[in-house]
Amino acid sequence: MVYKLVYENLKHRPVRTLLSSLAIGLGVTMMLALVGVGEGMLEDQANRARGVGADLVVRAPGSSVVGMGSLSMNQKILDYVRAQKQVTLATPIGVHSTGGVSSIMGINYDEFAAMSGGFRFREGGKLTAPDDVIIDDLYAREKKLKVGSLLHTMNRDWRVSGIFASGKLARVMIPLTVLQELASANGKITMIYVKLDNPANTQAVINAMKQDLPEYPIYAMEELIKQFSVNNLPELKAFIGVVVSLAVLFGFLVVFLAMYTAVLERTREIGILKALGAGPGYVLGILLRETVLLAIIGSLCGIAMSYGTRWLIATFIPASMVQAIVYSWWPIASLITLAGAILGVLYPALKAARQDALDSLSYD
Amino acid sequence: MAIIEIDNLRKTFRSGDVDVHALRGVNLVVQKGEFLAVVGRSGSGKSTLFHILGGLTPPTSGTIKIDGQSLTSLDEAGRTRLRRNSVGFVFQKYNLLPTLTVRDNIDIARDIAGRSEPWDATFLEVLELLGIAQKLDRKPRQLSGGEQQRVAIARAIVNQPAILLADEPTGNLDTENSNMVLDLLRHLNKKTGQTVLMITHDPEAAAFADRTVQMRDGELHSA
Ligand SMILES: Nc1ncnc2c1ncn2[C@@H]1O[C@H](COP(=O)(O)OP(=O)(O)OP(=O)(O)O)[C@@H](O)[C@H]1O
Ligand SMILES: [Mg+2]
């Protein structure tokens, strides 16, 4: 019976119900989109790292696990690595940051192609001339580039020679030697990807190399890929915390406002219920249920809207961001929102519960 | 058997610095099954008496008993129980919940009293009598004033209260609808033995009752 009243009340003010739900949902969407982008981008990075086809990677001393790094390793290390007898292929990579999170990668085209099993070109083909650049399909889509288009970066124009299927470490690649020249870093590389004759020996080879190169972080690719997790990104975790707090505040304010006005608007109805013998608990229960229902509808809206943000990201900035749908966060985000909503209804509900039946019946 | 016993009941409102003596020693005994009309000038204290009887506000002093139970010592929770179980209210403004259908308006009173069994045959007859049995699925705004007031009466008696308090139930109705509501109250009173107390300004309305008392400056006199 109480649910009927709650349902009828929500139906009675459809615009209020819709707007409240959408506003509550916005908090849910914020959380889901952020967590989804975090997970999506890490997953995408892991996929691209896997796409290199290496068994292990040697990185520069002092570089972070997840970050891309810079041109800070002496190329001579490459000779040492190549000299190891289990190593069938070792190829250097140069990374140059072009501002923000975007970077450009220098490769030895033929070695890199051999290790990764070859590029699958959607259009065009390999790097040949010194001012050639190859880009992946997502980057091409986001920047609206075609084969033959000019791409301006590092203070010069590059000609797009090929567009490959995403999944090969980087989105934008140029010849390594050209990158070194432009960055004034001849003889410097960022990391070395290594393929072994037998992947089962990976750990043994790493142990042996570490004897000779004690300062160099050397990771098995499988290990490295496992490191791509939100737990290794304290900044992201902190940011998620901020957004979660915002969402709680959102739910709180929206519900506070919606229910506060509802209580004012329903002074008479509350008085009637009290005249009929409803105690404070009964009145409280009605408002609480209405709030829980709003929060549930809001959460569903929020989940639906998170598909909307994913679509927007995939359509307009596919190369810069990837949003995953993280199902495990559906209940988390919903419960967080519900907590905010319940905090928000407390004051209006107590006001209603304490309301004098007589005052409200003489109310016009 | 007396169902209401009131002895030297007083109610004083404080509004600002002035004390308003709304009731100045009311004495009244109402027998079970009686239909009593309360008349009196505006501001004489009629509604105040009903509000105390119905547990909407506590008395200042005096004793008051409904069905043997004393109201004087009741706290807020006790008065809530009284409203839930022992009295039914009908107001001048029909005071139905606008978002609920007639059926749900009646059912919510039962839900508040913690009852969920289907309506019994007697109540169904009452609905027929009130002429609303065919309109249970309508919302209040789809009913006339007279119909809304009859729904309010049905809702007030659905939990079989010891007393039905009607505060100017025909105040907003035209003569035809008034007579219908008054007829129904009397019929209900005679048929089911429901004790009814009714406030009215209208001598014609008072004539429907068994007995009329007059409120004058916070005191009751037999008319
Ligand atoms: N909550 C209140 N605070 C202060 N004074 C009040 C309050 N309620 C009623 N009074 C006063 O008590 C007196 C009696 O009021 P009451 O409403 O009982 O009169 P009434 O006989 O029902 O009048 P009417 O016929 O106009 O409905 C009036 O002087 C009124 O102003
Ligand atoms: Mg009155």
Side-chain angles (χ1 to χ4, degrees):
Chain A
M1 196 57 232
V2 170
Y3 282 106
K4 223 172 202 169
L5 180 61
V6 167
Y7 169 74
E8 291 297 337
N9 280 341
L10 288 175
K11 215 175 70 177
H12 185 64
R13 290 256 178 267
V15 176
R16 162 188 173 266
T17 303
L18 188 75
L19 287 182
S20 307
S21 307
L22 285 179
I24 292 172
L26 223 55
V28 174
T29 306
M30 277 182 349
M31 287 188 273
L32 293 182
L34 177 68
V35 171
V37 164
E39 292 275 333
M41 292 185 72
L42 286 167
E43 206 172 285
D44 175 62
Q45 269 195 39
N47 275 336
R48 286 192 277 140
R50 220 174 266 128
V52 176
D55 293 312
L56 60 91
V57 60
V58 180
R59 304 201 52 160
S63 58
S64 86
V65 184
V66 184
M68 283 309 256
S70 59
L71 291 162
S72 58
M73 190 197 292
N74 194 314
Q75 200 163 338
K76 291 209 177 80
I77 303 294
L78 190 58
D79 300 329
Y80 161 81
V81 174
R82 283 189 174 138
Q84 306 307 303
K85 73 172 188 309
Q86 298 94 332
V87 171
T88 54
L89 191 55
T91 188
I93 296 288
V95 178
H96 181 80
S97 168
T98 51
V101 289
S102 48
S103 59
I104 192 163
M105 191 168 285
I107 54 169
N108 288 341
Y109 182 85
D110 290 326
E111 277 175 7
F112 190 86
M115 180 178 285
S116 64
F119 287 94
R120 275 192 298 122
F121 283 103
R122 300 254 192 255
E123 235 187 289
K126 61 180 290 184
L127 293 169
T128 44
D131 63 346
D132 274 356
V133 62
I134 53 175
I135 58 179
D136 78 357
D137 47 358
L138 299 180
Y139 191 84
R141 178 137 55 92
E142 181 171 327
K143 302 289 183 197
K144 300 191 169 55
L145 295 171
K146 295 196 163 53
V147 166
S149 304
L150 291 184
L151 169 64
H152 188 86
T153 185
M154 293 179 83
N155 290 322
R156 55 177 281 188
D157 283 329
W158 305 80
R159 195 188 68 92
V160 175
S161 72
I163 296 172
F164 60 92
S166 174
K168 299 286 186 215
L169 195 61
R171 302 209 189 278
V172 182
M173 302 194 199
I174 57 172
L176 176 61
T177 47
V178 179
L179 181 77
Q180 288 170 326
E181 184 74 37
L182 281 174
S184 312
N186 282 313
K188 294 286 191 167
I189 55 178
T190 303
M191 55 186 127
I192 304 167
Y193 283 102
V194 181
K195 202 169 179 61
L196 302 178
D197 51 4
N198 182 357
N201 293 335
T202 305
Q203 199 50 48
V205 173
I206 290 173
N207 292 343
M209 284 185 175
K210 277 191 172 164
Q211 298 287 319
D212 300 322
L213 304 171
E215 299 102 84
Y216 287 74
I218 304 174
Y219 306 104
M221 282 311 279
E222 276 316 309
E223 286 305 309
L224 189 72
I225 284 162
K226 280 194 203 129
Q227 304 290 322
F228 289 115
S229 116
V230 178
N231 290 330
N232 284 327
L233 294 171
E235 296 90 350
L236 182 60
K237 277 181 89 173
F239 194 48
I240 289 174
V242 170
V243 169
V244 163
S245 319
L246 271 178
V248 171
L249 193 71
F250 237 73
F252 172 85
L253 287 177
V254 170
V255 168
F256 185 97
L257 202 69
M259 296 312 283
Y260 189 78
T261 52
V263 167
L264 291 184
E265 184 189 68
R266 293 184 209 149
T267 307
R268 186 181 207 95
E269 278 101 283
I270 292 165
I272 296 169
L273 290 170
K274 293 205 158 170
L276 290 173
Y282 195 88
V283 174
L284 220 93
I286 290 173
L287 297 176
L288 212 61
R289 273 171 233 192
E290 187 167 334
T291 300
V292 170
L293 219 62
L294 272 181
I296 291 173
I297 300 172
S299 296
L300 292 177
C301 288
I303 288 170
M305 287 190 289
S306 75
Y307 281 88
T309 58
R310 182 173 76 153
W311 180 83
L312 285 175
I313 287 172
T315 306
F316 295 105
I317 46 169
S320 314
M321 268 192 205
V322 185
Q323 184 193 325
I325 296 296
V326 186
Y327 300 103
S328 62
W329 264 77
W330 285 6
I332 300 173
S334 302
L335 286 175
I336 287 169
T337 301
L338 183 64
I342 287 177
L343 282 178
V345 78
L346 282 185
Y347 178 75
L350 286 179
K351 183 180 159 70
R354 288 214 197 98
Q355 184 185 303
D356 192 313
L358 258 189
D359 285 351
S360 37
L361 287 173
S362 42
Y363 183 99
D364 280 285
Chain B
M1 196 189 97
I3 197 152
I4 300 176
E5 293 167 87
I6 302 175
D7 191 33
N8 199 22
L9 183 71
R10 290 169 188 275
K11 176 75 181 182
T12 306
F13 291 106
R14 258 220 104 92
S15 67
D17 287 340
V18 250
D19 281 347
V20 180
H21 301 285
L23 299 179
R24 310 165 180 252
V26 168
N27 299 296
L28 177 68
V29 175
V30 180
Q31 299 301 321
K32 192 168 165 51
E34 220 182 330
F35 185 171
L36 180 78
V38 181
V39 297
R41 288 228 308 275
S42 183
S44 57
K46 305 179 297 291
S47 292
T48 304
L49 173 65
F50 271 36
H51 293 157
I52 294 172
L53 269 172
L56 286 170
T57 187
T60 306
S61 70
T63 60
I64 175 164
K65 278 188 189 166
I66 295 181
D67 226 355
Q69 185 201 9
S70 170
L71 265 64
T72 327
S73 53
L74 286 183
D75 58 2
E76 183 55 46
R79 283 196 299 278
T80 298
R81 266 197 311 280
L82 177 83
R83 296 199 291 270
R84 187 186 305 159
N85 301 319
S86 306
V87 297
F89 273 109
V90 176
F91 300 93
Q92 178 173 354
K93 288 174 216 139
Y94 326 118
N95 279 338
L96 299 176
L97 294 167
T99 56
L100 293 186
T101 61
V102 168
R103 184 194 308 282
D104 294 338
N105 260 287
I106 295 170
D107 273 340
I108 199 133
R110 284 158 55 84
D111 186 62
I112 288 171
R115 298 171 49 174
S116 56
E117 72 279 2
W119 297 345
D120 60 20
T122 323
F123 187 69
L124 288 173
E125 263 176 57
V126 169
L127 290 180
E128 286 293 346
L129 198 70
L130 291 169
I132 51 172
Q134 316 307 323
K135 308 197 163 159
L136 294 176
D137 293 315
R138 299 221 193 151
K139 296 272 174 80
R141 68 179 133 71
Q142 299 167 312
L143 298 176
S144 72
E147 286 169 333
Q148 289 188 52
Q149 194 61 300
R150 284 179 265 146
V151 174
I153 292 172
R155 184 183 63 183
I157 59 171
V158 69
N159 291 326
Q160 289 124 7
I163 56 172
L164 175 63
L165 300 172
D167 191 343
E168 298 185 46
T170 58
N172 282 10
L173 300 178
D174 59 23
T175 316
E176 191 184 335
N177 275 293
S178 286
N179 285 337
M180 194 172 205
V181 165
L182 291 163
D183 248 343
L184 286 165
L185 283 177
R186 187 168 59 186
H187 198 104
L188 216 64
N189 167 256
K190 293 291 163 271
K191 197 161 183 260
T192 67
Q194 174 71 55
T195 309
V196 181
L197 279 73
M198 174 180 74
I199 294 175
T200 180
H201 278 121
D202 177 9
E204 278 180 42
F208 282 78
D210 303 327
R211 175 162 73 106
T212 302
V213 291
Q214 189 172 34
M215 187 71 89
R216 226 179 289 145
D217 290 335
E219 289 177 33
L220 267 187
H221 303 270
S222 44

